Amino acid sequence: MKQTLRSIKHAVMGTYLQASQVYYTVAGKTVECNICQYKSNHLASDGWHQHVICPYCKSTVRHRLLMAAFSLLNEFGFDKLIENKSVLHFAPEKHLEKVMRSKAGSYKTADFLAEGYAYSRIDYNIDISAMKAIGDESFDCVIACDVLEHVPDHMGAIREVYRVLKPGGYCVFTVPQKDNLKQTIEDLSITSPQERERIFGQRDHLRIYGDDFVDMLTACGFAVTGIDEHFFSKEIIDQYVLFPPILSKHPLATNYRKVFFGKK
Ligand SMILES: [Zn+2]
């Protein structure tokens, strides 16, 4: 019964989305998802942020910033980082995976399958902080969006990503960063999901990052560029919603998102 209801809900939602796309194509739109090309006059909201979630592919500001960097910035373009390159994508987002897979020379997915996170399309079921199955200098690019906050030994993870990258290769990271927080807040002795949610923002987060995330990448050898909305024109920011149109008042919110490109 539950399954049937879910199928009906998906069918209705799918029909609605298709009809709305015809409407916005004809009548004009003000925003567009640069990952799945969903068009509308505004995006969807979640409990923390208003009008930032693509209702079709669920992309949010960090994913669209990443896509904008690959699509529009010469230094970090698809042609430099992805095309004809070997790419390892941790915890791959379905629609981002589709784009990367279509462009990369070779493309592998990885995750450390914890309870509650099930994927069927993982090439490597590995801990990012101990990637024993992957040799040194194996990949040109490693992508991990909002992964490190789940990893106990996150510095070990950054070192491992450095190890598996070829010289000149790139890591692409995002992490939740509380607005205006200088130093990362971490306390591995906090194990209760409720306490983690209260202090770090989510039940399975082990820390909340500050501006010092750049220093962590630098300490492991990366030359780092943090990409935010300032790299793009106002038209592009508004079109692809690369910055929250309404600032979240949640005390742990990341309104000022960055995507970090680190060169080995
Ligand atoms: Zn989308």
Side-chain angles (χ1 to χ4, degrees):
M1 187 61 184
K2 240 183 186 171
Q3 194 63 39
T4 317
L5 282 175
R6 201 176 299 148
S7 309
I8 292 170
K9 194 178 147 203
H10 281 169
V12 170
M13 188 64 186
T15 309
Y16 166 74
L17 280 173
Q18 276 171 11
S20 77
Q21 294 312 282
V22 173
Y23 168 78
Y24 286 114
T25 301
V26 176
K29 41 75 186 167
T30 53
V31 298
E32 181 175 346
C33 173
N34 60 358
I35 298 172
C36 73
Q37 276 67 54
Y38 171 85
K39 303 176 191 75
S40 184
N41 287 333
H42 58 81
L43 296 182
S45 306
D46 63 17
W48 289 40
H49 292 275
Q50 294 181 61
H51 307 315
V52 297
I53 313 276
C54 170
Y56 187 72
C57 78
K58 312 297 176 206
S59 75
T60 185
V61 168
R62 64 178 181 273
H63 305 112
R64 293 189 301 274
L65 261 181
L66 181 153
M67 184 58 70
F70 279 124
S71 311
L72 301 171
L73 300 181
N74 279 336
E75 195 182 345
F76 306 106
F78 278 116
D79 57 334
K80 302 246 171 43
L81 270 68
I82 305 293
E83 285 163 17
N84 300 314
K85 305 285 185 187
S86 50
V87 176
L88 179 65
H89 191 168
F90 263 88
E93 300 82 354
K94 196 171 150 202
H95 286 77
L96 213 47
E97 171 181 345
K98 217 166 135 186
V99 175
M100 297 298 163
R101 194 183 282 284
S102 72
K103 291 185 181 289
S106 74
Y107 177 87
K108 297 284 182 194
T109 57
D111 211 334
F112 196 34
L113 298 177
E115 211 179 319
Y117 289 85
Y119 300 99
S120 56
R121 53 184 201 284
I122 295 300
D123 296 308
Y124 296 105
N125 181 4
I126 43 171
D127 176 353
I128 192 172
S129 59
M131 296 190 270
K132 294 188 181 74
I134 300 178
D136 297 355
E137 303 183 2
S138 296
F139 289 93
D140 294 301
C141 185
V142 176
I143 302 169
C145 296
D146 283 22
V147 169
L148 293 177
E149 68 275 16
H150 299 270
V151 179
D153 180 12
H154 65 146
M155 291 306 289
I158 299 168
R159 282 192 295 271
E160 274 290 85
V161 169
Y162 190 88
R163 178 183 70 77
V164 304
L165 277 171
K166 296 177 189 175
Y170 279 89
C171 65
V172 183
F173 284 121
T174 68
V175 288
Q177 287 179 286
K178 180 170 135 70
D179 291 341
N180 304 314
L181 179 66
K182 296 276 171 259
Q183 286 229 302
T184 297
I185 299 170
E186 173 185 275
D187 184 347
L188 295 180
S189 71
I190 298 169
T191 52
S192 119
Q194 292 79 9
E195 272 301 274
R196 283 177 172 171
E197 185 165 22
R198 187 177 71 78
I199 298 169
F200 307 129
Q202 199 171 298
R203 297 165 74 86
D204 55 355
H205 286 186
L206 307 180
R207 65 188 69 82
I208 187 158
Y209 287 92
D211 296 339
D212 58 343
F213 181 62
V214 175
D215 306 328
M216 297 174 193
L217 297 177
T218 307
C220 295
F222 286 109
V224 184
T225 308
I227 304 288
D228 62 13
E229 76 283 1
H230 291 105
F231 283 71
F232 306 97
S233 68
K234 184 175 184 321
E235 289 70 30
I236 292 290
I237 296 168
D238 292 346
Q239 182 179 359
Y240 298 128
V241 192
L242 302 183
F243 189 76
I246 299 165
L247 287 180
S248 171
K249 291 191 167 55
H250 192 292
L252 299 176
T254 310
N255 282 300
Y256 304 92
R257 267 283 177 180
K258 280 191 167 73
V259 180
F260 296 93
F261 286 78
K263 188 175 186 184
K264 177 172 176 179

